[in-house]
Amino acid sequence: MSEEQNEDGQGQGAKRRRPIDIVIAEKNPLLMSSLIKLFAGDERFTLVATTPDGERFLSAVDRLSFDVGIIGWEMPYMDGRGVLQALQGSEGPRVIVYTGSASPEIPRVAMALGAAGFCSKSDPPAQLLETVAAVADGRMMFPFVDVSQLANDPFAGLTPRERELLAALASGLTNAQIAGKLDISLNTVKFHLKNLYDKLGVSNRAQAVAHYLKGREGR
């Protein structure tokens, strides 16, 4: 049973007039067929598109406008972690991780990376429908997660690019050298560094490098 964590208050569902537009990323064709039928049978939802992997899901985000994305955790080409990292900082859809994995770490990591909900494939189908409806109304839907533990891995929420920049900082490169190495502009480097510092809770590169080295020692 999911523990509901309300972000925007209650009663929002009554205000919704149009169907909830969704896109599903699921690698299993048989399960995808079942999900299509499940959502087709509930007038609250409109299935905008389906994709078999994470890369095509991100392509759908770029091309389409929809409210909620339902993604697997283990997908070809790009997994759920990669999708959530790619969407960080964007104004994209709210995302629910829907997986058959029994790992208790996945809900925690998904929440840290910005997912709005989690649902297990072992849950009744009705649970997925209600999770999507709640997430579309601005709520967070997860099994019990000890939020205090989200800070245990400060690097979990970094994008691949931010991890690259952090490693470059640790190697002593200047902003201009980082821009040349990664083939990006100096302004882009500064933009990524600001986001990096905010996520790590630091104010300068020295503190970020110290954080990085401390994290490596603890692994």
Side-chain angles (χ1 to χ4, degrees):
M1 180 66 66
S2 290
E3 177 179 279
E4 187 174 308
Q5 301 178 26
N6 198 322
E7 287 183 334
D8 302 320
Q10 297 179 353
Q12 296 181 21
K15 299 178 183 178
R16 179 174 289 275
R17 292 291 183 267
R18 64 175 181 82
I20 299 165
D21 292 333
I22 63 173
V23 170
I24 303 173
E26 170 55 51
K27 65 182 181 181
N28 185 322
L30 292 178
L31 178 56
M32 179 67 84
S33 178
S34 296
L35 291 174
I36 291 171
K37 293 178 182 178
L38 176 67
F39 284 100
D42 193 316
E43 63 183 10
R44 292 177 296 174
F45 308 102
T46 297
L47 182 56
V48 175
T50 62
T51 71
D53 58 68
E55 283 189 352
R56 295 186 194 183
F57 177 81
L58 288 180
S59 177
V61 171
D62 291 337
R63 294 182 295 103
L64 305 170
S65 175
F66 57 99
D67 303 302
V68 178
I70 303 167
I71 67 170
W73 190 249
E74 297 174 353
M75 298 185 292
Y77 305 113
M78 181 179 288
D79 61 11
R81 181 192 294 268
V83 169
L84 291 173
Q85 288 175 332
L87 291 176
Q88 284 186 325
S90 72
E91 295 297 324
R94 309 196 83 207
V95 176
I96 295 168
V97 172
Y98 183 56
T99 179
S101 174
S103 171
E105 286 298 295
I106 294 177
R108 182 185 69 82
V109 173
M111 180 185 285
L113 291 176
F118 175 91
C119 192
S120 171
K121 290 178 180 177
S122 63
D123 291 334
Q127 179 66 36
L128 177 60
L129 295 175
E130 295 312 311
T131 297
V132 175
V135 164
D137 280 341
R139 286 171 279 179
M140 299 282 284
M141 295 291 290
F142 284 87
F144 175 76
V145 172
D146 185 352
V147 179
S148 67
Q149 296 300 310
L150 295 178
N152 284 355
D153 183 3
F155 306 107
L158 300 185
T159 66
R161 178 63 85 188
E162 288 164 351
R163 290 172 184 267
E164 281 186 300
L165 263 71
L166 186 54
L169 288 181
S171 67
L173 297 184
T174 65
N175 286 4
Q177 289 171 328
I178 293 172
K181 179 180 179 180
L182 300 181
D183 194 26
I184 56 179
S185 71
L186 189 59
N187 284 337
T188 300
V189 171
K190 293 177 180 179
F191 171 78
H192 284 307
L193 288 179
K194 180 183 183 303
N195 288 339
L196 175 64
Y197 296 163
D198 288 345
K199 289 181 180 180
L200 294 180
V202 300
S203 56
N204 56 52
R205 70 172 52 215
Q207 293 175 354
V209 170
H211 219 63
Y212 174 76
L213 295 176
K214 181 179 178 181
R216 291 190 66 179
E217 291 173 359
R219 294 183 179 186

